[in-house]
């Protein structure tokens, strides 16, 4: 059996229909999970608002709604409570159907919403330097969103909007030429952070070098083949560094997803000319500027959004306008997500406002800044190395794996060393990713090794372990007759587990709608908790016949759901831990 609606959608549409039948056309049902177990599984809270607006007695209105409410085969109990809440308890037979439908299916029977084409702009590091912890958040939040959206049937187009253009590249290519005269090119490029520092130093110390660097910028922008080749060589090395990090992180960004700032270079003059022609860009002190009435500066005047500098150079903002146009016109996006640091919030608000005014994105296209806060050290200050430098992502992940290896070795000294390293890679990298993804992205968070590597609480190791445990039950059962055994839900703990399993689709929809991976983490953590309650209260391997088979089904779907859910977060699961 396949379902076209999630539980939430089903209840929402049925209650809304009953409200309409009771004279409240268009009133939202306001379905939420029950605040307490004694209220059932869900509650519909829409009656109160409707009654107030109509000056009706809410309990009477609730009564009328309940009389019209058709939840046959869905709910076993519908009750009015308090000032007009409608409490709904789902029918165990209905939950059993949902569980059965999901069993053995790779898509876990999650219904697909109307498919969209979603562009996700994420990772997008600046290639002049090495990726640092600041890029971790964009990379993994974007990756998780891309995976969830794809799982829901959307067409996702990843865009790695790398910073591969700008004046720094004159300096870097000029320095590359210098370094090449010595023999240590490879060494020099093995540490890009250091390479950048040395180039900058040359720039500050030697005016002749600075002149060459400036000359190279001009040549690069003018398409000079030699400088272009040098620039490409530098980018290649830098991209390699990024790819090593993507590899460790298990992030699937490829060369095909690359479309950096340089790709828009040729479109920039046309963008400015178009904005001028539309009367949006005007000259101000030699620069081309758009004044947006929607944004006032501290003197109450419209803020200036510069699209061409006095010296004729273009900016980050101009490139982003060209990118909006490309994503809408060429990629045919219905939705564009920008997974970028919260601190760029104003830039994106202005960009979106201007893109609409210029007609680059009409109302059918949703432009969303998926902002995130900063990662803090345990001193509550932005995360830095002990000496105050930026923390390189590659080194951070290495440390995570090493720390996980120590923990795994303590827990499982008997496992072969290479097996322990394999577990450590999944646990260490998983812990770093999960610690980040499980927080509300908009807030800053404190990076703490001890809490992210804990084997209990809302952590990757806890969930990875919950998976291993549920999968082990199945292996221990060593029966193949489970395949289509019916699901029977008599115990409360079984029903609660089944309900949580059946909520998976709603959790994913919430993640997609709010661009909030932490909601999937919260869902998986709750699932692991109700699973352990079930496992304590309901013997599985020791029960017999149909009951044993049914409980094994619940274990199987739990294992599959945790594995799939963690997979959507880009986190690996293990059969042995
Ligand atoms: N390279 C930029 C940075 O590191 C992020 C680019 C984000 N994407 C965009 N379309 N502006 O800050």
């Amino acid at each position: 059996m396949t379902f076209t609606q999630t539980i939430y959608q089903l209840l929402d549409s049925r209650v809304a229909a009953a409200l309409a039948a009771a004279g409240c056309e268009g009133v939202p049902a306001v379905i939420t999970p029950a605040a307490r177990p004694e209220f059932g599984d869900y509650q519909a809270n829409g009656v109160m608002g409707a009654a107030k607006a109509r000056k009706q007695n809410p309990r009477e209105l609730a009564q009328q709604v309940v009389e019209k409410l058709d939840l046959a085969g869905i709910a076993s109990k519908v009750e009015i409570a308090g000032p007009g809440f409608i409490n709904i308890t789902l029918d165990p037979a209905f939950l059993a159907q949902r569980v059965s439908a999901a069993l053995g299916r790779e898509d876990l029977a999650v219904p697909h919403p109307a498919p969209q084409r979603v562009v996700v702009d994420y990772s997008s590091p600046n290639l002049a330097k090495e990726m640092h912890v600041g890029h971790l958040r964009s990379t993994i939040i974007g990756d998780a969103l891309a995976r969830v959206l794809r799982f829901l049937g959307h067409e996702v187009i990843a865009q790695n909007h790398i910073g591969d253009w700008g004046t720094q590249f004159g300096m870097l290519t000029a320095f590359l030429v210098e370094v090449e005269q010595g023999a240590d090119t490879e060494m020099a490029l093995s540490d890009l952070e250091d390479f950048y520092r040395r180039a900058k130093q040359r720039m500050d110390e030697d005016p002749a070098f600075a002149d060459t660097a400036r000359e190279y910028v001009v040549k690069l922008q003018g398409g000079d083949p030699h400088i272009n080749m040098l620039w490409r060589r530098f980018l290649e090395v830098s991209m390699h560094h990024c790819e090593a990090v993507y590899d460790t992180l298990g992030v699937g960004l490829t060369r095909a997803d690359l479309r950096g700032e340089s790709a828009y270079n040729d479109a920039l003059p046309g963008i400015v000319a178009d904005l001028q022609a539309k009367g949006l860009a005007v000259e101000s002190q030699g620069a081309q500027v758009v004044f947006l009435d929607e944004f006032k500066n501290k003197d109450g005047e419209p803020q200036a959004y510069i699209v061409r500098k006095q010296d004729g150079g273009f900016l980050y903002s101009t490139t982003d306008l060209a990118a909006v146009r490309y994503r809408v016109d060429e990629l045919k996006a219905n939705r564009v997500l920008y997974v970028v640091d919260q601190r760029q919030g104003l830039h994106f608000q202005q960009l979106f406002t201007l893109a609409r005014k210029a007609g680059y994105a009409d109302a059918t296209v949703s432009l969303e800044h998926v902002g995130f806060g900063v990662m803090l050290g345990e001193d509550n200050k932005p995360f830095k190395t002990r000496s105050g430098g930026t923390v390189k992502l590659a080194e951070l992940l290495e440390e995570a794996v090493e720390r996980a290896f120590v923990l795994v070795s303590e827990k499982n000294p008997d496992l072969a060393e290479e097996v322990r390293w394999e577990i450590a890679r999944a646990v260490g990298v998983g812990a770093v990713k999960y610690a980040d993804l499980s927080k509300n992205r908009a807030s800053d968070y404190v990076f703490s090794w001890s809490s992210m590597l804990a084997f209990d609480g809302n952590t990757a190791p806890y969930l990875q372990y919950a998976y291993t445990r549920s999968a082990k039950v199945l292996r221990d059962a060593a029966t193949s007759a489970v395949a289509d055994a019916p699901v029977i839900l008599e115990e409360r703990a079984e029903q609660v587990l089944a309900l949580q399993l059946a909520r998976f689709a709603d959790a994913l929809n919430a993640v997609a709608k709010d661009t909030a991976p932490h909601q999937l983490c919260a869902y998986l953590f709750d699932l692991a908790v109700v699973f352990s309650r079930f496992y304590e209260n309901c013997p599985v391997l020791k029960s017999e016949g149909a009951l044993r088979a049914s409980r094994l089904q619940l274990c199987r779907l739990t294992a599959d759901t945790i594995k799939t859910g963690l997979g959507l977060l880009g986190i690996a699961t293990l059969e042995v831990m």
Side-chain angles (χ1 to χ4, degrees), residues 195-364:
F195 189 87
Y196 189 92
R197 211 173 15 251
R198 285 168 61 199
K200 184 85 181 34
Q201 202 174 354
R202 293 283 296 122
M203 195 79 182
D204 296 340
E205 281 169 10
D206 182 353
F209 177 86
D211 283 342
T212 312
R214 275 188 286 270
E215 182 196 318
Y216 278 22
V217 177
V218 178
K219 282 191 174 167
L220 179 61
Q221 298 188 333
D224 178 289
H226 179 62
I227 306 299
N228 230 271
M229 188 219 34
L230 289 171
W231 169 71
R232 276 183 200 290
R233 275 202 49 201
F234 179 85
L235 292 182
E236 185 58 36
V237 173
S238 189
M239 234 9 255
H240 246 86
H241 286 254
C242 293
E243 280 163 351
V245 172
Y246 294 158
D247 217 47
T248 315
L249 281 173
V251 165
L253 280 170
T254 67
R255 295 278 167 125
D257 307 318
L258 278 185
R259 194 171 167 91
E261 295 181 14
S262 64
Y264 299 102
N265 192 40
D266 293 345
L268 305 183
I271 292 283
V272 175
D274 184 59
L275 294 175
Q276 284 171 317
K278 287 176 174 151
L280 290 163
V282 292
E283 189 177 315
S284 170
Q285 296 165 12
Q288 284 296 320
V289 173
V290 181
F291 291 101
L292 294 167
D293 287 327
E294 294 79 357
F295 303 89
K296 302 274 195 246
N297 64 19
K298 51 183 182 310
D299 302 323
E301 286 151 8
Q303 235 171 34
Y305 192 67
I306 307 175
V307 292
R308 198 178 75 200
K309 291 187 286 188
Q310 226 173 358
D311 65 7
F314 300 100
L315 301 96
Y316 186 60
S317 54
T318 331
T319 307
D320 256 332
L321 282 163
V324 170
R325 227 181 176 182
Y326 172 77
R327 290 164 184 186
V328 175
D329 289 352
E330 308 291 324
L331 300 180
K332 311 264 181 260
N334 308 118
R335 189 180 186 196
V336 189
L337 305 179
Y338 292 81
V339 188
V340 188
D341 193 323
Q342 198 93 281
R343 288 172 289 189
Q344 293 191 28
L346 181 61
H347 161 73
F348 285 109
Q349 281 176 40
Q350 294 180 328
L351 172 70
F352 299 162
T353 305
L354 180 51
R356 301 254 186 240
K357 284 194 174 171
Y360 300 161
D362 67 18
T364 64

Side-chain angles (χ1 to χ4, degrees), residues 366-569:
S366 173
L367 302 172
E368 301 165 42
H369 175 208
V370 181
F372 50 81
V374 293
M375 193 156 129
L376 304 169
E378 297 204 55
D379 57 359
N380 267 315
K381 299 212 178 85
F383 197 74
K384 290 271 157 68
T385 58
R386 228 166 266 235
S387 56
T390 49
V391 177
K392 284 187 202 159
L393 211 38
E395 286 169 13
L396 183 88
L397 294 172
E398 228 168 86
E399 180 170 353
V401 174
E402 276 157 21
R403 284 175 181 262
F405 182 75
V406 174
L407 286 178
V408 171
S409 300
E410 273 167 20
K411 282 194 184 275
N412 278 317
D414 302 332
L415 287 177
E417 182 170 337
E418 61 197 65
V419 177
R420 277 180 282 139
W421 276 116
E422 198 194 313
I423 299 173
R425 272 190 290 276
V427 171
V429 175
V432 170
K433 293 177 84 170
Y434 192 88
D436 193 295
L437 293 170
S438 59
K439 313 289 189 305
N440 184 332
R441 62 173 163 77
S443 39
D444 297 345
Y445 77 96
V446 173
F447 185 91
S448 155
W449 288 118
S450 58
S451 54
M452 74 178 68
L453 284 167
F455 275 76
D456 49 76
N458 190 12
T459 65
Y462 175 75
L463 288 173
Q464 287 170 318
Y465 187 66
Y467 169 75
T468 308
R469 199 165 58 148
S470 49
K472 183 173 184 310
V473 178
L474 292 171
R475 278 201 308 277
D476 291 349
T479 161
S480 52
V482 187
D484 10 71
V487 174
I488 317 156
L489 304 171
E490 277 166 7
E491 298 283 334
R492 187 62 193 154
E494 294 170 319
Q495 293 164 2
V496 171
L497 175 58
L499 171 61
Q500 183 64 12
L501 288 167
R503 272 180 178 163
F504 185 53
D506 281 321
L508 296 183
N509 283 336
V511 172
K513 177 172 158 287
D514 303 337
T515 53
H518 77 279
Q519 299 197 38
L520 176 53
C521 299
Y523 167 86
L524 292 172
F525 178 62
D526 288 345
L527 174 58
V529 169
V530 296
F531 176 74
S532 38
R533 233 168 267 153
F534 155 81
Y535 198 67
E536 280 157 28
N537 291 299
C538 306
V540 179
L541 297 176
K542 292 208 174 83
S543 52
E544 279 166 20
L547 186 62
R548 184 177 194 264
S550 164
R551 288 182 175 169
L552 281 170
Q553 297 285 51
L554 291 174
C555 291
R556 177 150 77 113
L557 188 57
T558 302
D560 288 350
T561 306
I562 297 178
K563 187 184 173 93
T564 304
L566 284 177
L568 292 176
L569 295 168

Side-chain angles (χ1 to χ4, degrees), residues 143-174:
D143 184 57
L145 293 175
R147 289 174 194 257
V148 169
L149 290 164
R150 282 197 186 103
F151 190 81
L152 290 173
H154 298 297
E155 189 180 342
V156 172
I157 305 172
Q159 290 282 279
N160 196 352
H161 190 87
I162 48 171
D164 59 356
W165 201 241
T167 49
Q168 325 89 292
F169 290 98
M171 169 183 99
L172 293 165
T173 45

